[in-house]
Amino acid sequence: MGIVDGLVGRLNECMVTDSAACSRVRHKLSSCSLCMDVCKENAVSITSAGGKVLVNWDRCSGCGKCAAVCPNRVFSMKLADAGKLTSTIRQQIVKDGECTISCRDDADAAQLRSLSFADRRVLVKAAAMGALKITLRQGDCGRCSKDCRGVAENETAAANRIFELAELSVRAVFESNRPTAADRLKNRGESISRREFFGFMRTKARQTIGETLCSIAESEKDRKRTVLSSERSGAESYISDLKYLGSDKLINRMREEGLLMSVHIDIDKCTRCGICSRVCPMAVFSLAKETVKGREVTTAVSADSDLCSGCGLCVTACMSDALKISSN
């Protein structure tokens, strides 16, 4: 019964949390509360430094707003869901040269629980995969409590600005409340095509318990990370996609407009204590060391601004006031 109860409890989980990336978990002086502030259901809580990020899955609506506001990517889609999204987007691009992402039953679109998970990183990834048009299609918000419209509009606007800076013809489009085949069949009494019917049935089948149990089988090793671990693969992938779309020229333009952050080290103030390297969840800082009289000594500190999330944890932790983070 304990095993069954654990499996049923996991069915409510809609995303993975990485407590190791949370600034409040990594340092006691961090005052970040973005995820808790944006959650209307009060489903997110953070224990003291060295603890973890907790989500009450009974309260969580799966809106994904916490994932959208967190600079360190503490909240992310499950590996299975992210893999299906990427695979479906790739298939759409190969077929039509464009892709559609929807937060409701839509046989012609890649499915997401909430459009809040379709942030600028997802849109840039789609463009890097060859999409000339990326559509975010919203469902009927009158029957949904997730309220992902605001996030979707902001991320679409940000992605379009990135495409403009890269001098690309790619465009991201937000569509609101477009009726699906299920809407026309149930609410309007309209007939639907044979293709729409089987697409609707296929979408429903994907939401069955069998597929959910497949998602549950994700690696426990990936779910349980230590506080000292660093999650930089997501940032590296995003920067790689940006450079593919517009080289370093795009990176510099984005920094000028505040779409990417820059880290500055005051060499005169820096004591080379290395605390910035220890607390940074994105592994932005690198320490140059050498052995002096039999012990290892830090001789220099460098920063890779490409990986910076802008959380400001390094500034909070630095006791010599040697660090600054700017959006320009």
Side-chain angles (χ1 to χ4, degrees), residues 4-278:
V4 173
D5 184 61
L7 289 174
V8 173
R10 293 277 293 277
L11 293 179
N12 290 333
E13 297 184 14
C14 63
M15 56 191 170
V16 176
T17 58
D18 180 10
S19 295
C22 178
S23 60
R24 287 177 70 101
V25 170
R26 297 182 76 91
H27 200 283
K28 63 182 180 180
L29 295 182
S30 174
S31 59
C32 180
S33 61
L34 293 174
C35 59
M36 293 184 288
D37 294 341
V38 78
C39 183
K40 293 182 179 180
E41 291 77 17
N42 295 320
V44 181
S45 60
I46 304 174
T47 61
S48 59
K52 61 176 62 177
V53 178
L54 303 175
V55 178
N56 186 332
W57 298 110
D58 292 332
R59 290 184 178 182
C60 179
S61 66
C63 68
K65 289 183 179 179
C66 53
V69 300
C70 179
N72 290 344
R73 312 287 289 179
V74 170
F75 309 91
S76 59
M77 286 187 291
K78 288 188 174 185
L79 295 177
D81 294 337
K84 291 172 189 173
L85 176 65
T86 302
S87 177
T88 305
I89 288 176
R90 182 178 290 110
Q91 292 174 9
Q92 290 182 350
I93 294 173
V94 170
K95 180 181 178 182
D96 303 318
E98 60 183 59
C99 64
T100 301
I101 303 172
S102 178
C103 60
R104 62 177 307 181
D105 296 340
D106 195 332
D108 298 325
Q111 300 295 310
L112 277 180
R113 183 182 294 263
S114 168
L115 289 184
S116 294
F117 290 107
D119 59 13
R120 68 194 68 180
R121 298 189 181 209
V122 173
L123 303 182
V124 167
K125 172 68 71 176
M129 292 167 62
L132 297 177
K133 180 182 178 182
I134 309 161
T135 302
L136 296 186
R137 184 177 296 164
Q138 186 188 36
D140 184 0
C141 291
R143 296 183 293 175
C144 177
S145 62
K146 295 184 177 67
D147 190 23
C148 57
R149 177 178 185 138
V151 174
E153 289 179 333
N154 290 338
E155 294 303 298
T156 299
N160 280 327
R161 184 54 185 156
I162 292 173
F163 300 150
E164 289 176 4
L165 294 175
E167 300 177 356
L168 300 174
S169 58
V170 182
R171 285 294 175 266
V173 179
F174 176 74
E175 293 183 356
S176 178
N177 299 328
R178 177 175 176 176
T180 66
D183 291 329
R184 300 200 307 275
L185 183 64
K186 293 179 180 179
N187 303 328
R188 306 186 182 189
E190 299 178 14
S191 61
I192 60 175
S193 68
R194 185 170 179 269
R195 178 182 177 184
E196 288 178 321
F197 173 75
F198 283 107
F200 171 67
M201 295 301 294
R202 182 175 65 251
T203 300
K204 284 297 185 181
R206 287 175 178 172
Q207 299 172 349
T208 60
I209 189 71
E211 187 174 64
T212 306
L213 289 174
C214 289
S215 297
I216 286 177
E218 290 180 2
S219 171
E220 286 294 326
K221 182 178 180 181
D222 289 335
R223 293 169 53 83
K224 297 178 180 178
R225 297 167 179 161
T226 64
V227 174
L228 295 179
S229 70
S230 62
E231 181 55 59
R232 57 186 292 173
S233 59
E236 289 178 331
S237 176
Y238 180 50
I239 294 296
S240 177
D241 290 335
L242 290 174
K243 289 184 177 181
Y244 176 79
L245 293 177
S247 69
D248 289 330
K249 185 177 180 180
L250 172 60
I251 301 296
N252 294 332
R253 287 179 174 177
M254 289 178 64
R255 285 211 173 94
E256 291 174 358
E257 295 212 2
L259 293 171
L260 286 176
M261 311 302 289
S262 296
V263 183
H264 307 278
I265 303 176
D266 189 331
I267 302 300
D268 295 330
K269 291 182 178 180
C270 180
T271 61
R272 298 177 294 281
C273 66
I275 191 171
C276 53
S277 176
R278 291 194 294 273

